[in-house]
Amino acid sequence: MTKKTGQSFMKGAAILGVAAIIIKVMGAFFRIPLANLIGDEGMSYYQTAYPMYNWLIVISTAGFPAAIAKTIAERNAVGDYYGAHRVFKTILKLMAAVGFVGMLVMMLGAEWVTTYVKNTGGYYSFLALGPAILFVAVMSAFRGYFQGLQDMKPYAFSQIIEQFFRVGLGLGLAFMLFGKGLEFASAGATFGATSGAFSGFLIIFIYYQRMKKKGALGDIDNKLPNQPEESEKEIIGKVMKIAIPITIGASVIPIMTMLDLFIVMRRLHDIGIVEQANDLYGQLTGYSQTLVNLPQTVTAAVQISLVPAIAALSARRAGKEMNETIEAGLRLGLIIGLPCSLGLVTLAEPIMKLLYPMQIEIASSTGSILAILGWGVLFLSMYQVTTGILQGLGKQNLPARNLFMGAILKGVLSYTLVGIPALNIRGAAIATVSAFACASILNFVSLMKIVDFKPNWTKIFFKPAIDGAVMVVAVKITYFIVNKLALGGFGVLNAGRVATVAAVAVGGLTFLIMIFVTNTLTEEDMDMMPGGSKLKKISRKLSFRKAV
């Protein structure tokens, strides 16, 4: 791939990836003390509102940023900055209307949903989350615009500010309202999302105004000669043609979560698990799923960066560059997703004991759930990357179809497996992993069919697999040795925590070393990354590769 194209993709992925890590670290400072404060029951109230909220957010926003980004990237690639900006202004009006409707649905449907799922304690959490939908919808239009410009800084900064207020205000309100009852404490925590959405919108709006005043958005006031001006109706129609399949596809994941809400709780009741049903559901969604979401947000950064990069290359008919970008995206997805997946599976129970010291009695059951869900990280990473590629190619209907097929599989497996007493809640985890495995494989098959792309199987899959296998061995050895050595001085529980931290650190370092040893991360990749020249010098000094 050319240096300019590679830098746009790699730099964007790096910026959003760093932002995702910061966001998740802040999220950990939110979810972990929150879970320790309000326990299983409170987390159940907190989580009950999110499936419907996430679904409405997807319906309101999911397809539009990618659709805006693809349309703007294509127009900017041929110098039509006026047309690109007009697309943004038109969709911004639409998003404000859609967000307002979503807010009303969330708030007016609160009583019915909480009554139906037999978790009325989540009612106030529904009300607290409602206004967030409006702000997120409007903010998504701005994010899609900057994504199309391949300028990920405002996108990333607005995410960080959003999370900062979500964590700070949400956790503060949870502590303040704890004395009034778990229902109100959970609602206070969810209101953090609303304050965060408003703050993120405000930041990206200010950035947009400054960029516009500086003239940094291109010639947005003059259309190209002989370029017909489309009506707002035509613009909406074109964007909707892209956005609707993406929205349908993206809505499948919240629907899968809602399947857990509607199926799992009732199936647990069917097999006689009544009093513990809320607790088990909280362990699945409030504990295990939280950890699985960390790597997913980082690989989402790769997906977001791939959409405009592939769209621009497709518009210029740069086939060779596009194939190289596809391969780089797939490798990057595995480099991120594989070690995270293997780490969660290998250290599932120790990680739970480390993160939730005040809920130590449930570490074993949540660990068994995480040991299954951890595999889903790998498949979800590959699904996200291949989805970004397909969306950039204008084949946004394929990921939607493939994930829908995965969701059908999940529904069948959830109903069947949760109904097996020996599996119970773990059946839902198995169903989730199976759904993502199905969708990611179908995505890859679709990509192979529509693009003349011949993957380098060794570079994309085999080398990361070797790196991961070595990492797992290092993790197991480190945990065993450190745990034995620390028993005398720290006691059983604290020795396990020390061993877990050591094993995670050694595992991460081992995988990093191995991607240089096996040349999984190539020098061309480093050239395209921010600070890549320094990274090459370091790797050569460490003698992991010969100087060329």
Side-chain angles (χ1 to χ4, degrees):
M1 86 188 93
T2 65
K3 190 169 183 179
K4 183 176 179 181
T5 302
Q7 284 177 338
S8 296
F9 160 55
M10 288 288 193
K11 185 178 180 180
I15 290 172
L16 291 177
V18 170
I21 293 172
I22 294 172
I23 288 166
K24 281 301 177 180
V25 169
M26 287 193 289
F29 282 103
F30 174 68
R31 294 295 290 268
I32 294 173
L34 179 65
N36 282 312
L37 174 70
I38 64 179
D40 291 345
E41 183 181 351
M43 288 302 293
S44 176
Y45 299 154
Y46 175 85
Q47 285 296 141
T48 297
Y50 272 95
M52 184 173 181
Y53 168 77
N54 290 335
W55 181 63
L56 287 171
I57 285 291
V58 167
I59 294 296
S60 304
T61 68
F64 287 98
I68 296 169
K70 181 179 185 299
T71 305
I72 287 173
E74 290 172 341
R75 299 192 182 203
N76 283 346
V78 296
D80 186 13
Y81 301 104
Y82 171 83
H85 191 257
R86 195 158 183 273
V87 168
F88 162 67
K89 290 192 298 182
T90 300
I91 300 304
L92 179 61
K93 298 175 188 176
L94 177 65
M95 295 311 298
V98 171
F100 181 75
V101 172
M103 177 182 69
L104 291 180
V105 171
M106 179 77 179
M107 299 181 77
L108 295 177
E111 185 175 0
W112 180 84
V113 174
T114 54
T115 301
Y116 182 81
V117 301
K118 303 183 180 191
N119 203 1
T120 54
Y123 172 74
Y124 294 108
S125 293
F126 269 79
L127 298 183
L129 271 178
I133 298 174
L134 173 60
F135 297 122
V136 170
V138 176
M139 181 167 49
S140 70
F142 284 93
R143 287 177 175 172
Y145 181 57
F146 285 109
Q147 181 186 352
L149 297 177
Q150 298 194 56
D151 179 4
M152 302 302 178
K153 290 180 182 178
Y155 196 123
F157 191 50
S158 69
Q159 286 182 315
I160 293 172
I161 294 298
E162 179 184 358
Q163 182 74 336
F164 176 80
F165 279 92
R166 174 180 175 269
V167 170
L169 189 58
L171 195 56
L173 287 173
F175 276 95
M176 288 175 59
L177 297 172
F178 182 72
K180 294 184 178 296
L182 291 178
E183 299 95 329
F184 294 99
S186 301
T190 55
F191 186 74
T194 295
S195 66
F198 174 74
S199 303
F201 156 70
L202 189 61
I203 287 296
I204 203 168
F205 177 75
I206 292 172
Y207 189 95
Y208 163 77
Q209 291 292 347
R210 289 181 177 177
M211 292 286 285
K212 185 178 179 181
K213 187 177 292 186
K214 291 179 181 178
L217 303 177
D219 188 4
I220 61 175
D221 296 319
N222 299 297
K223 67 184 182 70
L224 294 176
N226 302 319
Q227 181 77 23
E229 185 166 320
E230 298 171 307
S231 67
E232 289 190 345
K233 183 178 180 180
E234 289 174 322
I235 291 173
I236 291 174
K238 288 184 177 181
V239 172
M240 292 289 282
K241 186 177 180 181
I242 301 171
I244 288 176
I246 297 175
T247 300
I248 293 172
S251 67
V252 174
I253 291 181
I255 288 173
M256 288 166 62
T257 307
M258 291 183 74
L259 282 175
D260 281 337
L261 177 61
F262 284 91
I263 294 177
V264 171
M265 297 283 282
R266 287 180 170 269
R267 288 297 282 162
L268 289 174
H269 281 243
D270 290 343
I271 60 174
I273 300 177
V274 178
E275 294 182 359
Q276 289 183 304
N278 274 354
D279 293 348
L280 290 175
Y281 181 72
Q283 290 173 25
L284 174 70
T285 60
Y287 291 82
S288 303
Q289 193 66 52
T290 301
L291 295 176
V292 171
N293 286 341
L294 173 57
Q296 174 258 324
T297 57
V298 180
T299 48
V302 180
Q303 176 185 348
I304 290 168
S305 295
L306 276 170
V307 174
I310 296 293
L313 291 171
S314 180
R316 297 203 301 265
R317 301 185 184 279
K320 183 175 183 294
E321 295 176 48
M322 185 166 65
N323 284 344
E324 290 172 347
T325 303
I326 289 172
E327 182 175 298
L330 290 171
R331 280 191 293 110
L332 192 56
L334 270 177
I335 288 173
I336 296 169
L338 182 60
C340 295
S341 181
L342 293 175
L344 290 174
V345 171
T346 305
L347 293 173
E349 186 173 333
I351 287 174
M352 284 297 177
K353 290 179 179 178
L354 173 68
L355 295 179
Y356 300 101
M358 295 178 67
Q359 305 290 338
I360 200 68
E361 69 278 359
I362 64 170
S364 178
S365 58
T366 52
S368 66
I369 297 170
L370 182 61
I372 298 169
L373 276 181
W375 290 110
V377 174
L378 173 61
F379 296 114
L380 182 55
S381 297
M382 295 312 297
Y383 174 79
Q384 287 176 307
V385 171
T386 50
T387 293
I389 296 168
L390 291 169
Q391 288 174 352
L393 291 169
K395 301 295 183 181
Q396 55 275 351
N397 59 313
L398 294 178
R401 181 201 67 186
N402 296 337
L403 188 56
F404 182 71
M405 294 177 70
I408 293 175
L409 177 64
K410 176 180 170 59
V412 173
L413 290 179
S414 288
Y415 187 87
T416 303
L417 299 180
V418 175
I420 300 174
L423 289 176
N424 57 76
I425 198 68
R426 291 187 295 275
I430 295 171
T432 298
V433 173
S434 301
F436 288 132
C438 173
S440 63
I441 292 170
L442 291 175
N443 257 17
F444 192 80
V445 171
S446 299
L447 178 61
M448 294 284 289
K449 286 182 178 180
I450 65 175
V451 178
D452 185 20
F453 171 61
K454 297 179 180 179
N456 186 322
W457 298 99
T458 299
K459 288 176 66 176
I460 297 175
F461 297 107
F462 185 62
K463 287 183 177 180
I466 292 176
D467 303 339
V470 174
M471 184 200 78
V472 168
V473 173
V475 165
K476 285 182 173 293
I477 292 175
T478 301
Y479 183 83
F480 178 78
I481 293 175
V482 175
N483 191 44
K484 289 291 184 183
L485 293 176
L487 275 176
F490 295 95
V492 176
L493 185 58
N494 288 329
R497 293 171 185 166
V498 172
T500 302
V501 173
V504 170
V506 170
L509 181 61
T510 300
F511 191 84
L512 180 63
I513 292 172
M514 285 301 299
I515 64 176
F516 291 120
V517 171
T518 61
N519 198 24
T520 302
L521 188 67
T522 67
E523 289 200 347
E524 184 184 16
D525 292 335
M526 294 184 201
D527 284 333
M528 301 303 108
M529 298 173 69
S533 59
K534 294 180 181 179
L535 190 58
K536 284 202 301 183
K537 289 179 182 178
I538 293 173
S539 68
R540 287 173 176 175
K541 286 181 181 180
L542 293 174
S543 301
F544 294 142
R545 63 179 80 241
K546 295 181 179 179
V548 178

